[in-house]
């Protein structure tokens, strides 16, 4: 195991759709607590301020429920973000990459509520060599500013990084910056993920 040609030193891992998955359909979940499709659209648009770290998600949800009462409480809505499942098979790929001597960091869009859960309840930070949650970076993918801030903090060039994500928009920005990319299909499973990574690293 090891690095091919000694170029890639760091893998940037997206979380949702790669290392973890939601067991519920958001539209259906929100419908069950009284919010319809329009509420879901408004919620995800409003969440962007929290994803960039400009506001707390609780404040965002409080304000939205005042504007669009659903009968649900703020805590009912926030609880939906805790409903995700770690993909342990995918995490084993992360372990293999680290064992090969390659640094692994999380590069993920997350607001403060999710960061708290992922860091302190699920222990994600202890499983990698660093974590770049968008709400702490101050920028969110797919902005170039997000990737530039991460690379700058890591002290590496784009050519030294490999970015793994399921989002075409995020992948496009990373590629434009000169970062090697793996556009992972969540439905393809961890074995395919390992094969995709192996195109760049010996695992």
């Amino acid at each position: 195991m090891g690095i091919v040609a000694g170029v890639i030193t760091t893998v940037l891992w997206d979380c949702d759709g790669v290392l973890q998955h939601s067991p519920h359909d958001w539209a259906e979940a929100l419908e069950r607590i009284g919010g319809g499709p329009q509420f879901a659209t408004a919620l995800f648009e409003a969440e962007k301020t929290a994803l960039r770290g400009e506001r707390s998600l609780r404040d965002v949800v409080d304000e939205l429920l005042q504007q669009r009462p659903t009968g649900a409480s703020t805590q009912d809505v926030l609880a939906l973000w805790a409903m995700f499942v770690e993909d342990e098979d995918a995490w084993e790929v992360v372990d293999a990459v680290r064992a090969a001597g390659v640094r692994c960091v999380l590069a993920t869009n997350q607001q403060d509520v999710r960061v708290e859960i992922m860091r302190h309840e699920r222990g994600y930070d202890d499983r990698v060599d660093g974590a770049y949650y968008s709400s702490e970076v101050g920028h969110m993918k797919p902005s170039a500013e997000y990737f530039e801030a991460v690379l700058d903090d890591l002290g590496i060039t784009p050519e030294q990084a490999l970015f793994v994500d399921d989002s075409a928009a995020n992948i496009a920005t990373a590629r434009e910056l000169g970062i090697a990319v793996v556009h992972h299909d969540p439905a393809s499973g961890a074995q395919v993920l390992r094969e995709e990574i192996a195109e760049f690293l010996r695992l």
Side-chain angles (χ1 to χ4, degrees):
M1 297 186 291
I3 306 171
V4 175
V7 175
I8 293 172
T9 65
T10 307
V11 179
L12 315 176
W13 296 87
D14 176 46
C15 288
D16 296 299
V18 178
L19 300 179
Q20 64 190 29
H21 307 285
S22 174
H24 61 75
D25 177 275
W26 277 93
E28 292 180 1
L30 289 168
E31 186 72 35
R32 286 196 298 272
I33 62 174
Q38 292 184 339
F39 181 81
T41 299
L43 176 62
F44 292 132
E45 183 60 31
E47 184 197 12
K48 291 178 181 178
T49 60
L51 289 172
R52 292 190 296 265
E54 297 164 7
R55 303 181 66 193
S56 74
L57 184 64
R58 178 174 292 278
D59 288 346
V60 168
V61 174
D62 277 342
E63 182 177 287
L64 185 60
L65 287 174
Q66 291 173 11
Q67 297 170 350
R68 298 170 176 265
T70 66
S73 68
T74 295
Q75 195 55 44
D76 289 335
V77 178
L78 294 179
L80 296 178
W81 272 280
M83 297 173 63
F84 62 93
V85 179
E86 297 99 317
D87 187 331
E88 289 301 334
D89 291 335
W91 275 102
E92 287 183 7
V93 180
V94 177
D95 294 339
V97 173
R98 295 183 76 201
V102 181
R103 178 170 53 179
C104 289
V105 301
L106 304 182
T108 179
N109 285 345
Q110 306 292 343
Q111 23 69 6
D112 57 330
V113 169
R114 264 284 186 83
V115 171
E116 179 70 18
I117 295 169
M118 292 165 67
R119 173 174 287 152
H120 298 294
E121 295 183 18
R122 307 293 180 96
Y124 277 22
D125 288 20
D126 297 330
R127 306 180 73 171
V128 290
D129 304 300
Y132 293 91
Y133 301 106
S134 61
S135 56
E136 296 179 342
V137 173
H139 301 284
M140 62 181 285
K141 300 178 292 184
S143 72
E145 289 85 356
Y146 173 86
F147 292 100
E148 290 166 349
V150 171
L151 294 176
D152 182 65
D153 190 69
L154 290 169
I156 61 175
T157 65
E159 293 76 18
Q160 292 175 291
L162 172 63
F163 174 55
V164 186
D165 202 306
D166 63 313
S167 163
N170 297 344
I171 287 292
T173 299
R175 183 182 285 119
E176 289 170 3
L177 291 172
I179 300 171
V181 297
V182 167
H183 189 188
H184 179 65
D185 177 359
S188 66
Q191 181 54 43
V192 170
L193 176 61
R194 181 182 290 269
E195 293 168 359
E196 292 168 335
I197 296 293
E199 293 184 16
F200 298 91
L201 307 171
R202 295 193 185 99
L203 300 179

